[in-house]
Amino acid sequence: MSENGQIYRISGPVVTAIGLDAKMYDVVRVGDEGLMGEVIELHGEKAVIQVYEDTSGVRPGEPVINTGLTLAVQLGPGLLTQIYDGIQRPLPVMQEKMGTFITRGVDADGLDQERKWTFEPVAKKGDKVEGGQTIGTVQETETIAHKIMIPPKMSGTIKSIKGGDFTVSETVCTLDDGTEIAMMQKWPVRTPRPYMQKYAPDTPLVTGMRILDFLFPLAKGGAAGIPGPFGSGKTVTQQSLAKYSDAQIVVYIGCGERGNEMTEVLDEFPHLIDPNTGKPLMNRTVMIANTSNMPVAAREASVYTGITIAEYFRDMGYDVALMADSTSRWAEAMREISSRLEEMPGEEGYPAYLSSRLAEFYERAGRVETLEGEDGSVTVIGAVSPPGGDISEPVSQGTLRIVKVFWGLDAPLARQRHFPAINWLNSYSLYPQSLDQWFKDNIAADFPEIRTEISSLLQVEAELQEIVQLVGSDALPIDQQLTLEVARMIREYFLQQNAFHEIDAYTGVEQQYLMAKAILTFQTEAKNAIEAGGLLEDVVNVPARSDLMRARFEGDYLTRIEGLVAEMTKEIAAAAEEN
Amino acid sequence: MAGKEYRTITDVKGPLVFLNKTEPVAFGEIVELRLNDGSMKNGQVLDTSDDMVVVQVFEGTAGVDRTTGVKFLGDVFKLPVSKDLIGRILDGAGRPRDGGPEIIAEGNADIIGAAINPYARQSPHDFIQTGISAIDCCTTLVRGQKLPIFSASGLPHNDIALQIARQAKLTASDEEFIVVFCAMGITAEEYNFFRSDLERTGALENAVLFVNLADDPAVERLITPRLALTAAEYLAFEQDYHVLVIYTDVTNYCDALRQIGAAREEVPGRRGYPGYMYTDLAMLYERAGLVKGKKGSITQFPILTMPGDDITHPIPDLSGYITEGQIVISRELHGSGIYPPINVLPSLSRLMGGTIGEKTTREDHKCVSDQMYAAYAQGRELRGLVAIVGEDALNERDKQLLSFSGLFEDKFLRQDRYEDRSIDETLDLCWNLMSNIETKYLVRLDQQWIDKYHPNDKKE
Ligand SMILES: Nc1ncnc2c1ncn2[C@@H]1O[C@H](COP(=O)(O)OP(=O)(O)OP(=O)(O)O)[C@@H](O)[C@H]1O
Ligand SMILES: [Mg+2]
């Protein structure tokens, strides 16, 4: 059997080989420089390969060697705090080997093979173990204990197991049948990792962003899409989620986006404190950066690399959140490869299988019972970059068919510097029903009603605004003018949130609830005061309301808000009496 | 292997030549074509296999026939780099155009350019003062940024680019910029405008020009910006210069890309542009920034004209998705006689937030720019309402905002082509203009800066 073939044709990132004995998705080494590639189509005696590195200078006739392995990631201690390219090569190692620029033909292990980790067994000799079962732990970072699990599909009785300092490839445990188990396992990226069963999500992923948690909540194990035109805030939103959401592990994929944005994360995260643990955010983060100018085939692979790492931490029983910025660039990578394959194009040149690939990817999100019987989840948040901001295009539509949460960013809002520029009229979440119990139990029994009141005020405002456009606001009856004022308060005080403000950037759900209540209190009190003869102008402009609103930028807001609301109530009542 | 000449052309289609029966030819290899009349053309391999090689010919295929000789030069496209590039004018393929000698190479750099490892990048944080109030206050330019001008035909984008080239300076140090200028399919008149301005101000001595004009081969445009950026990378990362790359017009570049796509019968994306245009543009725009351990930097100032003034057209759209903001030129402001006609509302500098402030510009910059922007946006919106309901229907606040929007355009935006305002002058001007609005309506200003800077409240 000949495992080696020869290059027949090169067209950008797509290389055709002849005489190669290969299976679909085998990883191959292409050309004299041994560029890494993956078999993506078999055609008689020809094998079509997508190459993860630049192919300039490569010639027909050069060798192609099949490794016989499929594209896989290395899983084990050392993933956290690391930044990888799309095929799990650590960027710091690449910098060491190649310098500032990414050249080619250089290999690098996903996990540091030299570093020793302290392994503490939790299983013992004689234990019967099965795939997914934890046999020991490694304190990988200050906050995260990395569970060392028996790889899926493996089982047996432990013959020996030892604690101590080991590299990821050294054997820490041997089974009866002689199988040696190291801390590192490998998993093919295009295959979802197994679990026992999927559960319906019932806990929100608390993000600290008021519009998200309060109006359009996402569940742990759910999937959300963030479409928006350029400059509308997709990246800022994704980065806020990476910083503040209450996931235990964050996988952040920069897929075909800017280099500087990844550098920013690298600069910032080690200094930012996780509001949930009080420790640097970097401790729970894995990053994948395959920027727009890096090879497209590796961009295509990057989302799979990311989600496989996410599933691996899920299998340890963690709640994992994965951000992919932007899934459109992933889809474009598919389109580019597909067009080089001269496949029959579907809509807008995307391959016909675009929507099934999107669905398969988002299906890897979920809250599961792990093989070990624990509860773990992967929440997926995908940015979408529709051409011209028009979401009637295939990637947006394919995403919206699958995800249950739609956070629609909107250019006009961004242009008004209303941030986050999430349009509250067309965004939605299908989770409230399943999450309401959580909100009732953990925040307040009337949480769902308060939410409904706030969103209906926003609806009413939209209708009134249409009239205002025609006749000006002074022509409206007083009660409707008050409604506009209340809605303005919702927008400016509640929905707007500055992602770059130390304090405003994160609001706990309890405080969100109190802020929403404060708005409704204002509405009720103002209405009473006006009925008692107060002037709208006086009632809405009481200084205590500005104080209430402005104080949210100060640290102790949660403890002060009730006092501030009481003060406002008093002043509004006084404003009515003046008349 | 280089040296053997083939006469095996089978097909010629648009800018592409198809050959068969060659030795193995490398992907991306440079090609020389010798026509029957002895004239030469250059090209590059786009597709290569045992049976067939596709060559894209930079100068177009006019005059090429089946007897044209084709020589593969054994290497990919490289630019000879050296400090001697400074002060030179080269054509769109990198050959001297100024009558000067060939460049003596200190090295040869692959023009495709490798991606900067994101881990090796350094975040840009240094303020570049352009002396143009609208930019410095509202869309601050940062060293290492890629900030394009979105313009349209007939608008004064070239004047703005030149004004920036003349005036750009780092307030933190007195380091100068080297300008790398790259013309892609612009007219000779536009080019002369650039060149004579650079010449007059002495900037030409500190500039490198790569010139492909409207009547130069269209396909050559695909390599011109790559040459310019290769020169920029060399000067920035090997010779420690701060480089300002101005290239114009990206729209012509994209049209050349579309032409190749059509000739290859590729499945077109939106409006006929190739599906890979995002990636292709990213391979230009991402060649900007700062890297750890190197002193130099590349700041990019690309100019593109929006076909039909449409910002959702694929060229501005894909650019906006890659660059770190945009400066949008407005036909309406231009029509009302305002220079520079920058519409700050759709304009954005994404690196501004992390840059401005006490250490680089001034402590009040952030709230001043927020307030200027918000007041102008509201004032502009009111113009529409006033057209329907009349000015009398406005309340006091709205009247003040409306009149402010006029002042904003007339006093803040408008400035002379040679007027170089310092950031302090710009911010003081903002305070003066905002003092026409009662302070109680200026909700985005911090009290402490009102106390310090407001002309009416200033406590000396
Ligand atoms: N929540 C926010 N708070 C404050 N500013 C914001 C917020 N969201 C967005 N912005 C502003 O909008 C700018 C653009 O946001 P961002 O980079 O996230 O856009 P994007 O949608 O990712 O664009 P692209 O598709 O081009 O990557 C930011 O630089 C910032 O100035
Ligand atoms: Mg983004």
Side-chain angles (χ1 to χ4, degrees), chain A residues 491-506:
Chain A
R491 284 187 281 112
E492 293 180 0
Y493 165 67
F494 192 82
L495 299 184
Q496 280 189 22
Q497 193 173 359
N498 184 349
F500 303 109
H501 189 283
E502 215 181 326
I503 291 170
D504 196 32
Y506 176 86

PDB file of all heavy atoms in Angstrom, chain A residues 491-506:
ATOM      1  N   ARG A 491     -34.300  53.453  27.776  1.00  0.00           N
ATOM      2  CA  ARG A 491     -33.205  53.399  26.802  1.00  0.00           C
ATOM      3  C   ARG A 491     -31.899  53.939  27.375  1.00  0.00           C
ATOM      4  O   ARG A 491     -30.847  53.309  27.266  1.00  0.00           O
ATOM      5  CB  ARG A 491     -33.570  54.188  25.538  1.00  0.00           C
ATOM      6  CG  ARG A 491     -34.562  53.459  24.638  1.00  0.00           C
ATOM      7  CD  ARG A 491     -34.755  54.185  23.325  1.00  0.00           C
ATOM      8  NE  ARG A 491     -35.661  55.330  23.443  1.00  0.00           N
ATOM      9  CZ  ARG A 491     -35.294  56.600  23.331  1.00  0.00           C
ATOM     10  NH1 ARG A 491     -34.040  56.915  23.072  1.00  0.00           N
ATOM     11  NH2 ARG A 491     -36.187  57.563  23.455  1.00  0.00           N
ATOM     12  N   GLU A 492     -31.993  55.117  27.992  1.00  0.00           N
ATOM     13  CA  GLU A 492     -30.746  55.779  28.376  1.00  0.00           C
ATOM     14  C   GLU A 492     -30.161  55.263  29.681  1.00  0.00           C
ATOM     15  O   GLU A 492     -28.955  55.299  29.892  1.00  0.00           O
ATOM     16  CB  GLU A 492     -30.975  57.293  28.455  1.00  0.00           C
ATOM     17  CG  GLU A 492     -31.256  57.868  27.070  1.00  0.00           C
ATOM     18  CD  GLU A 492     -31.488  59.370  27.086  1.00  0.00           C
ATOM     19  OE1 GLU A 492     -31.437  59.963  28.173  1.00  0.00           O
ATOM     20  OE2 GLU A 492     -31.733  59.922  25.997  1.00  0.00           O
ATOM     21  N   TYR A 493     -31.038  54.787  30.543  1.00  0.00           N
ATOM     22  CA  TYR A 493     -30.583  54.389  31.873  1.00  0.00           C
ATOM     23  C   TYR A 493     -30.381  52.881  31.939  1.00  0.00           C
ATOM     24  O   TYR A 493     -29.459  52.390  32.579  1.00  0.00           O
ATOM     25  CB  TYR A 493     -31.641  54.854  32.861  1.00  0.00           C
ATOM     26  CG  TYR A 493     -31.614  54.301  34.264  1.00  0.00           C
ATOM     27  CD1 TYR A 493     -30.576  54.607  35.157  1.00  0.00           C
ATOM     28  CD2 TYR A 493     -32.669  53.510  34.721  1.00  0.00           C
ATOM     29  CE1 TYR A 493     -30.608  54.121  36.459  1.00  0.00           C
ATOM     30  CE2 TYR A 493     -32.697  53.033  36.021  1.00  0.00           C
ATOM     31  CZ  TYR A 493     -31.661  53.334  36.886  1.00  0.00           C
ATOM     32  OH  TYR A 493     -31.690  52.868  38.177  1.00  0.00           O
ATOM     33  N   PHE A 494     -31.214  52.166  31.225  1.00  0.00           N
ATOM     34  CA  PHE A 494     -31.194  50.713  31.371  1.00  0.00           C
ATOM     35  C   PHE A 494     -30.532  50.003  30.176  1.00  0.00           C
ATOM     36  O   PHE A 494     -29.610  49.228  30.334  1.00  0.00           O
ATOM     37  CB  PHE A 494     -32.622  50.204  31.555  1.00  0.00           C
ATOM     38  CG  PHE A 494     -32.690  48.774  31.992  1.00  0.00           C
ATOM     39  CD1 PHE A 494     -32.529  48.439  33.333  1.00  0.00           C
ATOM     40  CD2 PHE A 494     -32.897  47.751  31.075  1.00  0.00           C
ATOM     41  CE1 PHE A 494     -32.572  47.113  33.743  1.00  0.00           C
ATOM     42  CE2 PHE A 494     -32.938  46.428  31.481  1.00  0.00           C
ATOM     43  CZ  PHE A 494     -32.781  46.109  32.817  1.00  0.00           C
ATOM     44  N   LEU A 495     -31.010  50.296  28.974  1.00  0.00           N
ATOM     45  CA  LEU A 495     -30.507  49.563  27.809  1.00  0.00           C
ATOM     46  C   LEU A 495     -29.090  49.982  27.442  1.00  0.00           C
ATOM     47  O   LEU A 495     -28.249  49.153  27.110  1.00  0.00           O
ATOM     48  CB  LEU A 495     -31.428  49.763  26.608  1.00  0.00           C
ATOM     49  CG  LEU A 495     -32.872  49.274  26.778  1.00  0.00           C
ATOM     50  CD1 LEU A 495     -33.633  49.450  25.476  1.00  0.00           C
ATOM     51  CD2 LEU A 495     -32.903  47.815  27.206  1.00  0.00           C
ATOM     52  N   GLN A 496     -28.829  51.281  27.483  1.00  0.00           N
ATOM     53  CA  GLN A 496     -27.474  51.728  27.154  1.00  0.00           C
ATOM     54  C   GLN A 496     -26.517  51.296  28.247  1.00  0.00           C
ATOM     55  O   GLN A 496     -26.796  51.458  29.423  1.00  0.00           O
ATOM     56  CB  GLN A 496     -27.418  53.255  27.060  1.00  0.00           C
ATOM     57  CG  GLN A 496     -27.923  53.776  25.742  1.00  0.00           C
ATOM     58  CD  GLN A 496     -27.654  55.263  25.586  1.00  0.00           C
ATOM     59  OE1 GLN A 496     -26.777  55.825  26.231  1.00  0.00           O
ATOM     60  NE2 GLN A 496     -28.409  55.888  24.715  1.00  0.00           N
ATOM     61  N   GLN A 497     -25.407  50.756  27.829  1.00  0.00           N
ATOM     62  CA  GLN A 497     -24.443  50.283  28.809  1.00  0.00           C
ATOM     63  C   GLN A 497     -23.063  50.390  28.178  1.00  0.00           C
ATOM     64  O   GLN A 497     -22.836  49.858  27.084  1.00  0.00           O
ATOM     65  CB  GLN A 497     -24.785  48.824  29.159  1.00  0.00           C
ATOM     66  CG  GLN A 497     -24.070  48.308  30.368  1.00  0.00           C
ATOM     67  CD  GLN A 497     -24.582  46.923  30.776  1.00  0.00           C
ATOM     68  OE1 GLN A 497     -25.481  46.361  30.149  1.00  0.00           O
ATOM     69  NE2 GLN A 497     -23.989  46.374  31.809  1.00  0.00           N
ATOM     70  N   ASN A 498     -22.191  51.079  28.857  1.00  0.00           N
ATOM     71  CA  ASN A 498     -20.872  51.324  28.284  1.00  0.00           C
ATOM     72  C   ASN A 498     -19.927  50.170  28.616  1.00  0.00           C
ATOM     73  O   ASN A 498     -19.555  49.973  29.767  1.00  0.00           O
ATOM     74  CB  ASN A 498     -20.326  52.644  28.829  1.00  0.00           C
ATOM     75  CG  ASN A 498     -19.000  53.005  28.204  1.00  0.00           C
ATOM     76  OD1 ASN A 498     -18.376  52.194  27.519  1.00  0.00           O
ATOM     77  ND2 ASN A 498     -18.558  54.224  28.439  1.00  0.00           N
ATOM     78  N   ALA A 499     -19.553  49.432  27.576  1.00  0.00           N
ATOM     79  CA  ALA A 499     -18.718  48.250  27.786  1.00  0.00           C
ATOM     80  C   ALA A 499     -17.320  48.624  28.279  1.00  0.00           C
ATOM     81  O   ALA A 499     -16.577  47.757  28.732  1.00  0.00           O
ATOM     82  CB  ALA A 499     -18.609  47.464  26.485  1.00  0.00           C
ATOM     83  N   PHE A 500     -16.975  49.888  28.162  1.00  0.00           N
ATOM     84  CA  PHE A 500     -15.618  50.279  28.544  1.00  0.00           C
ATOM     85  C   PHE A 500     -15.572  50.979  29.892  1.00  0.00           C
ATOM     86  O   PHE A 500     -14.526  51.436  30.331  1.00  0.00           O
ATOM     87  CB  PHE A 500     -15.004  51.180  27.470  1.00  0.00           C
ATOM     88  CG  PHE A 500     -14.986  50.519  26.123  1.00  0.00           C
ATOM     89  CD1 PHE A 500     -15.819  50.941  25.104  1.00  0.00           C
ATOM     90  CD2 PHE A 500     -14.149  49.428  25.895  1.00  0.00           C
ATOM     91  CE1 PHE A 500     -15.821  50.300  23.874  1.00  0.00           C
ATOM     92  CE2 PHE A 500     -14.141  48.792  24.674  1.00  0.00           C
ATOM     93  CZ  PHE A 500     -14.984  49.222  23.658  1.00  0.00           C
ATOM     94  N   HIS A 501     -16.740  51.102  30.536  1.00  0.00           N
ATOM     95  CA  HIS A 501     -16.774  51.760  31.839  1.00  0.00           C
ATOM     96  C   HIS A 501     -16.619  50.704  32.920  1.00  0.00           C
ATOM     97  O   HIS A 501     -17.400  49.760  33.008  1.00  0.00           O
ATOM     98  CB  HIS A 501     -18.081  52.522  32.007  1.00  0.00           C
ATOM     99  CG  HIS A 501     -18.094  53.391  33.221  1.00  0.00           C
ATOM    100  ND1 HIS A 501     -18.276  52.898  34.498  1.00  0.00           N
ATOM    101  CD2 HIS A 501     -17.914  54.730  33.351  1.00  0.00           C
ATOM    102  CE1 HIS A 501     -18.234  53.895  35.356  1.00  0.00           C
ATOM    103  NE2 HIS A 501     -17.999  55.013  34.687  1.00  0.00           N
ATOM    104  N   GLU A 502     -15.629  50.896  33.744  1.00  0.00           N
ATOM    105  CA  GLU A 502     -15.271  49.940  34.792  1.00  0.00           C
ATOM    106  C   GLU A 502     -16.486  49.372  35.526  1.00  0.00           C
ATOM    107  O   GLU A 502     -16.577  48.174  35.769  1.00  0.00           O
ATOM    108  CB  GLU A 502     -14.384  50.677  35.789  1.00  0.00           C
ATOM    109  CG  GLU A 502     -13.296  49.855  36.402  1.00  0.00           C
ATOM    110  CD  GLU A 502     -12.519  50.712  37.387  1.00  0.00           C
ATOM    111  OE1 GLU A 502     -12.361  51.934  37.133  1.00  0.00           O
ATOM    112  OE2 GLU A 502     -12.109  50.173  38.402  1.00  0.00           O
ATOM    113  N   ILE A 503     -17.414  50.249  35.887  1.00  0.00           N
ATOM    114  CA  ILE A 503     -18.542  49.801  36.696  1.00  0.00           C
ATOM    115  C   ILE A 503     -19.769  49.499  35.851  1.00  0.00           C
ATOM    116  O   ILE A 503     -20.441  48.497  36.041  1.00  0.00           O
ATOM    117  CB  ILE A 503     -18.856  50.870  37.764  1.00  0.00           C
ATOM    118  CG1 ILE A 503     -17.685  50.847  38.747  1.00  0.00           C
ATOM    119  CG2 ILE A 503     -20.189  50.585  38.457  1.00  0.00           C
ATOM    120  CD1 ILE A 503     -17.657  51.940  39.716  1.00  0.00           C
ATOM    121  N   ASP A 504     -20.030  50.347  34.889  1.00  0.00           N
ATOM    122  CA  ASP A 504     -21.233  50.169  34.087  1.00  0.00           C
ATOM    123  C   ASP A 504     -21.181  48.883  33.257  1.00  0.00           C
ATOM    124  O   ASP A 504     -22.218  48.305  32.925  1.00  0.00           O
ATOM    125  CB  ASP A 504     -21.420  51.385  33.169  1.00  0.00           C
ATOM    126  CG  ASP A 504     -22.824  51.464  32.594  1.00  0.00           C
ATOM    127  OD1 ASP A 504     -23.767  51.041  33.298  1.00  0.00           O
ATOM    128  OD2 ASP A 504     -22.975  51.939  31.461  1.00  0.00           O
ATOM    129  N   ALA A 505     -19.982  48.429  32.926  1.00  0.00           N
ATOM    130  CA  ALA A 505     -19.838  47.286  32.018  1.00  0.00           C
ATOM    131  C   ALA A 505     -20.537  46.024  32.536  1.00  0.00           C
ATOM    132  O   ALA A 505     -20.979  45.201  31.753  1.00  0.00           O
ATOM    133  CB  ALA A 505     -18.362  46.990  31.775  1.00  0.00           C
ATOM    134  N   TYR A 506     -20.627  45.877  33.853  1.00  0.00           N
ATOM    135  CA  TYR A 506     -21.238  44.662  34.399  1.00  0.00           C
ATOM    136  C   TYR A 506     -22.318  45.025  35.413  1.00  0.00           C
ATOM    137  O   TYR A 506     -22.072  45.778  36.344  1.00  0.00           O
ATOM    138  CB  TYR A 506     -20.178  43.797  35.083  1.00  0.00           C
ATOM    139  CG  TYR A 506     -20.765  42.567  35.745  1.00  0.00           C
ATOM    140  CD1 TYR A 506     -20.968  41.399  35.015  1.00  0.00           C
ATOM    141  CD2 TYR A 506     -21.149  42.583  37.078  1.00  0.00           C
ATOM    142  CE1 TYR A 506     -21.539  40.280  35.600  1.00  0.00           C
ATOM    143  CE2 TYR A 506     -21.720  41.463  37.681  1.00  0.00           C
ATOM    144  CZ  TYR A 506     -21.910  40.313  36.931  1.00  0.00           C
ATOM    145  OH  TYR A 506     -22.473  39.215  37.505  1.00  0.00           O
TER     146      TYR A 506
END
